[in-house]
Amino acid sequence: AQSVTQLDSHVSVSEGTPVLLRCNYSSSYSPSLFWYVQHPNKGLQLLLKYTSAATLVKGINGFEAEFKKSETSFHLTKPSAHMSDAAEYFCVVSYTNAGKSTFGDGTTLTVKP
Amino acid sequence: NAGVTQTPKFQVLKTGQSMTLQCAQDMNHNSMYWYRQDPGMGLRLIYYSASEGTTDKGEVPNGYNVSRLNKREFSLRLESAAPSQTSVYFCASSDLYGYTFGSGTRLTVV
């Protein structure tokens, strides 16, 4: 069985400060892990993915995530938040490529001016 | 642009009415999905199709049916709409590199 927990339902940061969105996973096999972003009234867009290559994964818009097997974590970071980063973020785990994945409940990121 | 197209974008139904949500992808993906998204509940899988000709139930299939018409198209049908089916519905397709989502259908059942 696989599961994913996003540890914060809401995160608020000031523009220009670092962003940390936390995700822990549980998987019986070597997982594939993804982060998606959803802006208001839009569909979900892939930010980045991990599939057992480099543990530090770089995505779009300056986001990164580090796969830590010992901590079963895949936290999403960005050095400097921008107003346009305000959105909902979903962590996703899958062990069958991208088929029938498990989505976290989402973290809403607010960016204050 | 390549992607996943859903229609309609908005729909209001009366309780008991039926409707079909259409989804088409031009990504040449084998797998397709229907999710619903409700406030505070993330995305929940309704049905999925791992390949043309196959469909399987997800987490919340009750009240829905699906048809994988061909590799490109995957439709979701509500036979008798209920207020509990008020939600935003997303269609998606996937390959090794992740999901591609449609822009969603906002359905209200009154």
Side-chain angles (χ1 to χ4, degrees), chain B residues 13-87:
Chain B
L13 291 178
K14 294 182 179 179
T15 298
Q17 287 185 317
S18 62
M19 80 161 294
T20 300
L21 281 64
Q22 306 288 352
C23 176
Q25 53 99 1
D26 57 8
M27 313 283 286
N28 201 35
H29 290 165
N30 286 319
S31 299
M32 297 187 73
Y33 313 81
W34 278 104
Y35 287 89
R36 60 178 289 173
Q37 185 177 33
D38 302 290
M41 301 188 76
L43 275 81
R44 292 183 291 170
L45 181 64
I46 304 171
Y47 271 94
Y48 69 102
S49 171
S51 62
E52 184 179 354
T54 68
T55 61
D56 286 285
K57 294 179 179 179
E59 182 184 354
V60 288
N62 291 344
Y64 305 96
N65 286 300
V66 290
S67 295
R68 183 74 183 267
L69 304 170
N70 47 55
K71 189 171 186 178
R72 291 187 64 248
E73 298 173 287
F74 188 40
S75 62
L76 178 71
R77 183 161 179 83
L78 286 71
E79 290 291 351
S80 178
S84 61
Q85 295 178 305
T86 293
S87 188

Side-chain angles (χ1 to χ4, degrees), chain A residues 32-36 44-51 92-94 96-101 103, chain B residues 3-4 25 27-33 35 91-102:
Chain A
S32 294
L33 293 157
F34 306 79
W35 276 99
Y36 288 82
L44 281 74
Q45 179 186 15
L46 180 66
L47 272 180
L48 50 80
K49 64 171 289 192
Y50 166 79
T51 55
V92 181
V93 63
S94 171
T96 55
N97 297 325
K100 202 178 178 187
S101 303
F103 282 72
Chain B
V4 177
Q25 53 99 1
M27 313 283 286
N28 201 35
H29 290 165
N30 286 319
S31 299
M32 297 187 73
Y33 313 81
Y35 287 89
C91 177
S93 66
S94 73
D95 63 3
L96 291 173
Y97 303 101
Y99 287 82
T100 300
F101 283 87

